[in-house]
Structures are given as C-alpha cells and as structure tokens.
C-alpha cells in the first residue's frame, strides 16, 4: 500500500479517494479488494479522476461495498459505476445507494446479479425517487420473488418491487432506462411496477426479459401500453406470452402512439399470435422496430405480416430469425419487400429458406431500393452441393443489392443538404429525422453504453458488443462515452438520452453467476 494521510471529508482528489478507501477497510478490519484498489491507485498515480468504475465480478462482497460506498460519497467525477456480479447482497446494495445519494454525475449504475432482494431494493428506490443524475439502472439477475403463499394474499403494494414502483411514480424521478431481465418479477411485482409507470414521464426503455411473464400477466403490460406515453422501447424477450398474450399486447398496442421498439423474441408465440400483432401494424403509427424472432411465426404468420407491411409506413426493422418460415415463408416475405420503400433491416437467419426462398428474396430485391441489411443463412443441412452453391450465390446477390441501396442512399443524402436529406425515402434510420429526433432512437446498438477503453482506471473494459449484422457501436470511445454522459447530465429531461435498443435475434441475457464453491 502507498502510505496515506487520514483523508478529509472534502478531499475528492484521486489520492484522497484512495486514502478514504484504505481508511474504510482499516476500520472494517478487512484487506482492500485488489481490483478496486488498483483502479483507485492508478488514478492517483496519474493524477486523473476516474470517470468510469468497471468492477464486474471483482469479488467486492457486502463488506467491501461499505468501502466502495465511502469512495462514492466523496467522489465528484464518476459518470458510470458497474458492480455486476459482486455478491453485494441487500446490505451492500443499500450501502452503494447511500454512497451515491447526492452524487453529482453518476448517470449509469449496474448492480445486476448481486443477490439483492426487496429489502436491499428499498435504498436503491430512494435513490431513484430523489431525482438526481441517475438515468440508467440495471437490476437484472437479482431475486425479487416472494413466497407463493405470501404473494397470494399480499397486495401489490407489499411486493418486492413496490418501493421501485413508488419511486418511478415520484415527480422527481428522472430514470430513463431500467433493466430487470431475469429478476424473478412475479405478477404482483409487475403490477406494482406498472402502477408506478402509469404516473411516470421519464422512463423510455424497459427490459423485462426472462421473467416468466405469461398470458395472464400480459394484461398488466397492456395496461402499461394504454396508459403510459413516455415509453419508447419495451423488451419482453424469453417470456411465456404465447398467442393469447400476444393478442392482448396487440390490442393495447393499437391504442399506443409512443412505443417505437417492441421485442417479443422467444415467447412461445405461434401463427395466431403473430397474426394478431401483424393486424395492428397496418394502422400503428409509431412502431419502428419489431422482433418476433424465436417464435413459430410460420407461413400464415408471414402472410399476415406481408399484408400489414404493404400498408405500414413506420416500421423500418423486422426481426424474424428462427421463426420457422421455411421456403414458403421466404417466398411470402419476398412479396412484402418487393417495392417496399420503408423497411430497411430484416433478420431472416436460421429459417431454412433453401433455394426457393432465397431466389424469391433475390428477385424481390431487384425492385427494392430501401433495404440496407438482410441477414440470411445458407448451406442448410442435408442439401446437395449444387443447392448450396445456388444459395450462396443468391445470398451474395441479396447482400450486393443491399450494398447498392446503401450507396444510393448515401449519395442522395449527400446531395441534399440539411433536414431535407432526412426526408428521402430509405434514408439510414440511424440518422436524425426531420423532426430533430436523436439518432439513438433508431440505432441498433450494443447492450447498454460501452465501457471505457481498457485502462487501469476502469479495471478493464466490459464487453457489451454482440456479433450481429445489425450492430453499430455507439459511442465508440471512452472520450465519446464521457461526452455523452456530460450531454445527458445537461439535459436530464430529454427522453431520448437513455435509448438502448436491443439487438434483434441476439443471444439471451447471460445466466446468473454460479454459486460460490
């Protein structure tokens, strides 16, 4: 250890934070955690304040969280704190929340997979309700379940997520991104969350993947879609909605004019459910991104989508990976994209389109000038060599057609200055539109903001990138990340700030960490 003087309450310099961390562990009677100390010591040696503390799986623990909280209470420069998978428990989560109370600049906090229950969530909820700079909160992989017998008789107001629901209803709440994937969110907790969101005007992005949300709970999601006008992205991947739940959501979606991204990946939805969702696309004015991948959409589901796409003018990205389309589905979908001037991204991987399906898509691309990316597979199992060669040839022609569309779009946008370029048909949806909306609204980006570049201060960057033809890193560097953080802090009321669109057809969220030996 470096020799340190006793820190003063006001000392927020890198050296002062290191001294405070060491002093806290001395008081706790435990050794400092190596990765935490290395990050603090590196900053002290450089004389450069930390802006991003990335400590995923660093073994911090409940006691170590008390020392980290002491650092957070003195710091004035951090913008992102990641403590995922650190066995913080309820006491550790409460300590971190206390440390961040009054912090001037931390806008992103990740405390997922930390064995936090409803008790530990209370302090975090108080932080959300306080209305500070916190915009993005990841609580995925925690244990917000309650005993079945208790859940049957207790009202939603006593559920584990009830404190968070009340915090979201606070007039001071500024949270814009909330991740609750794989968090054991039962019906009562979901009801409490929805009740809070019905009075919330800041949250734009909500993820509830892998929570066993079924057709009965779909009515709660429907209530949210009908009553909330702030939410722009809803991710329900890997739940159990089935056809009945999809129909419930579709009915609610018809009354919603603010949602831009809906992810229903792997929900046990079959042709009837897909047709129900398709039925509202014809008149739905706002939805831009729809992921129905991982469901048995089938040929009749694609036929319903085809009819909807011929009338829809807002959807630009459609995910149908692993949707059991077959060659007949590929042929039907080709009829939807022929001459379509609005759809720009299409995911058809893992669908066994075979020669006939790929040929139909290749022919349809001859009259399509809007599609910029079409993801398809070739070389299906059990096929003859000549079929594989044809498939590869057709896939190459589809890719070339998309590239030609990109070049044409780029040239047209370059030739027309200002906002007029955004009004061109087929313009890249990642660019601002004529209404001045943020490019992040339509950007298929990484899961969350990227970590800072690998430096000693960050303890190594966390990888959020997923290999996918639609992925676009945003922002790309630590400097851009910090600049974005500052911009968000200057405009906390701007809803687009927390847009974090998931990758279509991407892998499910990571499983919880294994129990300690």
């Amino acid at each position: 250890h470096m020799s340190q003087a006793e820190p003063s309450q006001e000392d927020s310099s890198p050296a002062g934070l290191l001294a405070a961390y060491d002093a806290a562990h001395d008081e706790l009677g435990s050794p400092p955690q190596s990765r935490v100390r290395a990050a603090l010591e590196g900053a002290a040696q450089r004389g450069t304040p930390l802006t991003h503390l990335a400590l995923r799986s660093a073994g911090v623990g409940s006691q170590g969280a008390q020392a980290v909280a002491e650092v957070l209470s003195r710091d004035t420069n951090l913008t992102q704190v990641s403590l995922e998978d650190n066995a913080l428990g309820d006491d550790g989560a409460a300590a971190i929340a206390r440390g961040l109370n009054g912090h001037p600049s931390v806008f992103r906090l990740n405390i997922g997979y930390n064995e936090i229950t409803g008790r530990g969530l209370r302090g975090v909820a108080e932080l959300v309700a306080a209305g500070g700079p916190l915009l993005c909160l990841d609580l995925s992989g925690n244990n917000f379940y309650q005993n079945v017998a208790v859940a049957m008789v207790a009202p939603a107001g006593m559920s584990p997520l009830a404190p968070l629901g009340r915090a979201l209803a606070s007039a001071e709440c500024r949270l814009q991104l909330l991740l609750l994937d794989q968090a054991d969110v039962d019906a009562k907790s979901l009801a409490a969350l929805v009740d809070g969101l019905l009075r919330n005007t800041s949250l734009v992005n909500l993820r509830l993947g892998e929570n066993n949300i079924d057709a009965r709970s779909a009515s709660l999601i429907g209530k949210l879609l009908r009553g909330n006008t702030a939410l722009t992205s809803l991710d329900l991947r890997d739940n159990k909605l089935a056809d009945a739940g999809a129909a419930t959501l579709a009915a609610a979606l018809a009354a919603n004019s603010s949602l831009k991204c809906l992810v229903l990946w792997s929900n046990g939805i079959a042709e009837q459910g897909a047709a129900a969702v398709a039925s509202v696309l014809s008149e739905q004015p706002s939805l831009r991104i729809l992921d129905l991948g991982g469901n048995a959409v089938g040929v009749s589901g694609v036929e319903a989508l085809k009819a909807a796409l011929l009338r829809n003018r807002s959807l630009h990205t459609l995910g149908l990976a692993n949707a059991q389309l077959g060659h007949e589905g590929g042929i039907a979908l080709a009829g939807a994209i022929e001459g379509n001037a609005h759809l720009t991204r299409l995911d058809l991987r893992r669908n066994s389109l075979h020669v006939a399906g790929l040929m139909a898509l290749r022919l349809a691309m001859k009259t399509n000038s809007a599609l910029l990316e079409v993801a398809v597979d070739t070389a299906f199992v059990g096929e003859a060599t000549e079929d594989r060669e044809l498939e590869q040839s057709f896939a190459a022609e589809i890719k070339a057609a998309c590239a030609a569309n990109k070049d044409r779009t780029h040239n047209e946008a370059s030739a027309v200055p200002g906002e007029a370029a955004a009004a061109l048909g087929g313009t890249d949806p990642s660019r601002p539109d004529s209404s001045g909306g943020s490019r992040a609204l339509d950007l298929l980006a990484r899961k969350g903001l990227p970590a800072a570049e690998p430096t000693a201060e960050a303890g190594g960057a966390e990888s959020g990138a997923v290999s996918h033809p639609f992925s676009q890193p945003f922002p790309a560097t630590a400097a851009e990340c910090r600049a974005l953080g500052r911009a968000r802090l200057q405009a906390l009321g701007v809803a687009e700030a927390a847009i974090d669109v998931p990758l279509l057809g991407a892998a499910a969220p990571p499983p919880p960490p294994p129990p300690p030996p």
Side-chain angles (χ1 to χ4, degrees), residues 245-494:
T248 299
L249 291 189
L253 195 61
N256 181 289
S257 60
S258 58
L259 196 71
K260 293 177 171 62
C261 173
L262 178 62
V263 177
L264 298 176
W265 170 270
S266 186
N267 262 279
I269 299 171
E271 295 179 346
Q272 288 185 343
V277 175
S279 67
V280 302
L281 287 181
S282 301
E283 308 298 333
Q284 223 288 337
S286 65
L287 200 65
R288 302 179 184 181
I289 300 169
L290 174 64
D291 188 1
L292 282 169
N295 296 295
V297 174
V299 177
S300 66
V302 170
E303 290 286 357
L305 285 169
K306 172 184 174 180
L309 288 173
L310 293 174
R311 295 188 293 271
N312 181 278
R313 295 294 181 269
S314 64
L315 198 74
H316 65 59
T317 298
L318 178 61
L320 288 171
N322 193 27
Q324 299 182 25
L325 304 186
H327 69 275
E328 292 182 355
I331 294 170
L333 199 55
I337 68 174
E338 187 174 3
N340 188 295
H342 304 282
L343 202 64
T344 60
R345 288 174 171 85
L346 182 62
D347 188 353
L348 298 175
R349 293 170 301 158
R350 303 195 295 282
N351 272 301
S352 299
L353 300 175
H354 298 289
V355 171
L358 288 171
M359 178 186 290
L361 291 169
R362 166 240 187 187
L363 292 173
M365 288 301 297
K366 292 184 179 297
T367 59
N368 182 291
S369 59
L371 271 167
L372 307 179
E373 295 174 90
V374 178
V376 294
D377 293 325
T378 60
F380 303 105
V381 176
E383 288 191 319
T385 301
E386 56 268 27
D387 286 346
R388 295 189 179 190
E389 291 176 350
L390 278 173
E391 288 161 3
Q392 290 169 357
S393 175
F394 292 153
E397 291 186 48
I398 292 170
K399 184 177 180 180
C402 289
N405 287 346
K406 284 184 180 180
D407 291 341
R408 180 195 59 80
T409 300
H410 175 73
N411 292 336
E412 288 180 353
S414 300
V416 183
E419 291 185 351
L424 288 170
T427 298
D428 186 348
S430 68
R431 299 179 181 275
D433 58 26
S434 58
S435 64
S438 167
R439 68 170 180 156
L441 275 174
D442 295 325
L443 190 62
L444 293 170
R446 301 178 185 184
K447 174 183 177 291
L449 290 172
E453 293 168 328
T455 62
E457 77 170 60
E462 295 180 30
S463 175
V466 179
S467 177
H468 188 280
F470 296 160
S471 63
Q472 301 180 41
F474 174 68
T477 67
E480 288 178 347
C481 190
R482 287 192 290 272
L484 180 63
R486 293 191 191 98
R488 288 179 175 178
L489 295 174
Q490 292 169 0
L492 288 173
V494 180

Side-chain angles (χ1 to χ4, degrees), residues 27-400:
E27 186 174 344
L28 290 167
S30 61
Q33 203 286 327
S34 60
R35 278 182 54 191
V36 180
R37 195 176 194 285
L40 295 172
E41 186 173 26
Q45 290 174 346
R46 295 189 302 273
T48 304
L50 290 171
T51 58
H52 181 198
L53 193 61
L55 295 170
R56 181 179 183 179
S57 305
V60 173
S62 178
Q63 190 175 53
Q66 315 293 325
V68 173
E70 181 64 26
V71 171
L72 296 175
S73 68
R74 297 165 182 264
D75 172 76
T76 58
N77 293 288
L78 282 167
T79 60
Q80 300 185 64
V81 175
S82 177
L83 291 165
E84 181 178 316
D85 182 24
N86 273 288
L88 299 180
D90 289 335
D91 292 337
I96 296 300
R98 286 194 300 272
L100 287 173
N101 186 25
H103 195 286
S105 58
V106 170
F107 72 88
R108 190 178 190 99
L109 174 63
N110 182 352
I111 48 174
Y113 298 94
N114 269 295
E115 304 167 15
I116 302 169
T117 70
R119 181 171 69 85
L121 185 61
R122 293 170 195 159
V124 179
E126 291 175 3
L127 185 64
V128 171
L134 188 63
L135 300 179
C136 312
L137 177 62
D138 192 343
L139 292 168
S140 299
N142 287 303
N143 310 318
F144 302 127
Y145 63 86
Q146 58 182 339
N147 181 277
V148 175
V150 174
M152 291 178 64
V153 296
M158 294 180 64
S159 64
L161 285 183
L164 182 59
R166 289 189 287 270
L168 291 168
S170 167
E172 302 299 320
C173 175
R174 293 178 174 177
L175 198 69
Q176 296 183 5
L177 168 66
L178 177 60
L179 276 62
L180 281 166
D181 292 326
Q182 204 174 16
D184 293 319
V185 179
D186 62 16
K188 290 291 179 67
S189 282
L190 182 60
L193 195 67
V194 168
D195 286 344
L197 287 173
L198 289 177
R199 290 185 284 167
N200 179 280
T201 58
S202 66
L203 197 79
V204 294
N205 194 320
L206 177 63
R207 290 186 56 155
L208 290 167
E210 289 191 271
N211 280 298
N212 291 318
I213 298 173
D214 57 17
R216 290 177 297 177
S217 296
S219 61
L220 295 170
I221 303 294
K223 180 180 178 182
L224 173 64
L225 291 176
R226 285 188 173 91
N228 180 289
T229 59
L231 201 64
T232 61
S233 178
L234 178 61
D235 190 332
L236 296 171
R237 71 179 65 192
D238 294 293
N239 280 294
K240 298 179 179 179
L241 293 173
D243 284 344
T248 299
L249 291 189
L253 195 61
N256 181 289
S257 60
S258 58
L259 196 71
K260 293 177 171 62
C261 173
L262 178 62
V263 177
L264 298 176
W265 170 270
S266 186
N267 262 279
I269 299 171
E271 295 179 346
Q272 288 185 343
V277 175
S279 67
V280 302
L281 287 181
S282 301
E283 308 298 333
Q284 223 288 337
S286 65
L287 200 65
R288 302 179 184 181
I289 300 169
L290 174 64
D291 188 1
L292 282 169
N295 296 295
V297 174
V299 177
S300 66
V302 170
E303 290 286 357
L305 285 169
K306 172 184 174 180
L309 288 173
L310 293 174
R311 295 188 293 271
N312 181 278
R313 295 294 181 269
S314 64
L315 198 74
H316 65 59
T317 298
L318 178 61
L320 288 171
N322 193 27
Q324 299 182 25
L325 304 186
H327 69 275
E328 292 182 355
I331 294 170
L333 199 55
I337 68 174
E338 187 174 3
N340 188 295
H342 304 282
L343 202 64
T344 60
R345 288 174 171 85
L346 182 62
D347 188 353
L348 298 175
R349 293 170 301 158
R350 303 195 295 282
N351 272 301
S352 299
L353 300 175
H354 298 289
V355 171
L358 288 171
M359 178 186 290
L361 291 169
R362 166 240 187 187
L363 292 173
M365 288 301 297
K366 292 184 179 297
T367 59
N368 182 291
S369 59
L371 271 167
L372 307 179
E373 295 174 90
V374 178
V376 294
D377 293 325
T378 60
F380 303 105
V381 176
E383 288 191 319
T385 301
E386 56 268 27
D387 286 346
R388 295 189 179 190
E389 291 176 350
L390 278 173
E391 288 161 3
Q392 290 169 357
S393 175
F394 292 153
E397 291 186 48
I398 292 170
K399 184 177 180 180

